[in-house]
């Protein structure tokens, strides 16, 4: 079934593909998805030439095919070092980084694929940091204002999760994001954008930057523009007692502790769900 699916994926080369052809390709991706969560079958998919078919699909004229290919890449590489390393060796990272920069219809799936390839894969992290200017690409794609709000929200959630995970694994990556001012950028976005679920993930990334880093703490605490303390107080008061924002509340409380030596900042939350 995987072999038959690769034959169908190869038809994505046809620039004159009909709607029926596209539907067949989309169905082939569904079939592949049914199998490749098993590591042995995922590895076999590479060995029968499946990765080259995915590369063809990433370059398709049809957004649905590009997105399906990026999603398949993510599923194949998740917790699978063999596939992660082969995606790196076959130069998928620059293709995906280009998608996240220039293809607004496929940005979210491209971010998902990049994250799955890089996490817990030293080879991918080295290439991401040293060869492809990865931190700058991810920051520009996921932490800027404007564009489609729904896409921005999904991108920020996936991007922040990726940044947090990578920075906990790789100190060089953490330093790269810090040097680009991502801590300041995150705090600014959390202040100017409407509050949403992505702020929980952004707060966690900010906390990771602050921990054991006096430079970031001093920059954020002493900035007269950012008004960190006032922001923490107002945001914590706003979300206290809301169970769905409990993790964000805890991150903000810890940020207050890291920066000011206290975790309450005069915010009373005795009756909130976060204290139960």
């Amino acid at each position: 079934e995987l072999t038959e699916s690769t034959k169908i994926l190869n038809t994505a080369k046809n620039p004159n593909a009909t709607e029926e052809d596209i539907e067949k390709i989309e169905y082939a991706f569904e079939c592949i998805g049914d199998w490749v969560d098993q590591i042995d079958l995922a590895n076999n998919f590479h060995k029968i030439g499946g990765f080259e078919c995915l590369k063809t699909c990433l370059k398709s004229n049809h957004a649905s095919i590009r997105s399906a290919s990026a999603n398949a890449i993510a599923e194949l590489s998740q917790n699978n070092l063999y596939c992660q390393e082969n995606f790196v060796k076959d130069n998928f990272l620059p293709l995906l980084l280009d998608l996240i920069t220039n293809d607004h219809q496929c940005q979210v799936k491209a971010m998902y694929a990049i994250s799955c390839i890089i996490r817990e894969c030293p080879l991918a992290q080295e290439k991401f940091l040293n060869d492809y200017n990865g931190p700058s690409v991810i920051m520009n794609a996921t932490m800027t204002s404007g564009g489609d709000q729904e896409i921005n929200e999904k991108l920020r959630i996936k991007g922040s999760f990726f940044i947090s995970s990578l920075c906990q694994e790789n100190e060089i990556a953490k330093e790269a994001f810090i040097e680009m001012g991502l801590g300041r950028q995150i705090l600014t976005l959390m202040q100017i954008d409407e509050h949403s679920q992505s702020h929980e993930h952004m707060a966690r990334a900010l906390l990771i930057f602050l921990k054991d880093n006096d430079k970031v703490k001093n920059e954020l605490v002493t900035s007269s523009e950012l008004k960190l303390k006032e922001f923490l107080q107002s945001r914590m008061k706003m979300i206290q007692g809301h169970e769905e924002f409990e993790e964000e509340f805890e991150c903000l409380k810890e940020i207050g502790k890291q920066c000011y030596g206290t975790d309450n900042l005069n915010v009373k939350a005795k009756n909130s769900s976060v204290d139960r």
Side-chain angles (χ1 to χ4, degrees), residues 46 63 117 243:
H46 169 257
I117 291 174
E243 189 174 347

Side-chain angles (χ1 to χ4, degrees), residues 102-128:
N102 300 310
D103 191 338
H104 296 295
Q105 294 173 290
C106 303
Q107 283 180 305
V108 175
K109 292 298 186 183
M111 183 69 254
Y112 179 33
I114 290 166
S115 180
C116 290
I117 291 174
I118 291 174
R119 291 203 315 272
E120 299 183 6
C121 179
L123 175 63
Q125 291 176 18
E126 180 187 353
K127 292 285 188 180
F128 175 77

Side-chain angles (χ1 to χ4, degrees), residues 135-169:
S136 178
V137 173
I138 297 300
M139 178 175 165
N140 290 334
T142 63
M143 298 295 170
T144 54
S145 296
D148 186 297
Q149 188 59 40
E150 183 179 352
I151 291 176
N152 280 348
E153 174 71 358
K154 291 178 180 178
L155 261 181
R156 292 224 179 108
I157 289 172
K158 289 191 179 297
S160 299
F161 176 79
F162 166 68
I163 290 167
S164 298
S165 300
L166 179 60
C167 290
Q168 287 176 304
E169 289 179 43

Side-chain angles (χ1 to χ4, degrees), residues 31-192:
C31 294
I32 291 167
D34 289 339
W35 293 109
V36 297
D37 57 341
Q38 301 176 52
I39 288 179
D40 288 343
L41 288 176
N43 296 349
N44 286 340
F45 183 72
H46 169 257
K47 292 169 185 174
I48 64 173
F51 281 21
E52 281 304 310
C53 300
L54 294 177
K55 190 177 285 188
T56 296
C57 290
L58 278 184
K59 300 173 183 178
S60 169
N61 294 330
H62 303 281
S64 63
I65 295 177
R66 298 194 301 274
S67 290
S69 181
N71 187 71
I73 291 165
E75 292 180 351
L76 283 155
S77 56
Q78 197 161 34
N79 303 316
N80 185 336
L81 188 60
Y82 174 87
C83 284
Q84 288 172 298
E85 291 183 341
N86 278 289
F87 277 125
V88 175
K89 292 172 184 176
D90 291 345
N91 295 313
F92 275 79
L93 276 178
L95 290 174
L96 291 164
L97 289 166
D98 182 67
L99 284 183
I100 201 173
T101 301
N102 300 310
D103 191 338
H104 296 295
Q105 294 173 290
C106 303
Q107 283 180 305
V108 175
K109 292 298 186 183
M111 183 69 254
Y112 179 33
I114 290 166
S115 180
C116 290
I117 291 174
I118 291 174
R119 291 203 315 272
E120 299 183 6
C121 179
L123 175 63
Q125 291 176 18
E126 180 187 353
K127 292 285 188 180
F128 175 77
L129 293 169
N130 298 327
D131 293 357
Y132 303 133
N133 196 25
S136 178
V137 173
I138 297 300
M139 178 175 165
N140 290 334
T142 63
M143 298 295 170
T144 54
S145 296
D148 186 297
Q149 188 59 40
E150 183 179 352
I151 291 176
N152 280 348
E153 174 71 358
K154 291 178 180 178
L155 261 181
R156 292 224 179 108
I157 289 172
K158 289 191 179 297
S160 299
F161 176 79
F162 166 68
I163 290 167
S164 298
S165 300
L166 179 60
C167 290
Q168 287 176 304
E169 289 179 43
N170 191 310
E171 192 64 29
I172 296 174
K174 181 178 175 180
E175 286 300 317
F177 282 114
I178 288 172
E179 285 300 313
M180 292 188 301
L182 185 54
R184 186 184 187 93
Q185 178 74 359
I186 286 175
L187 183 54
T188 300
L189 284 172
M190 290 179 73
Q191 293 187 46
I192 65 175

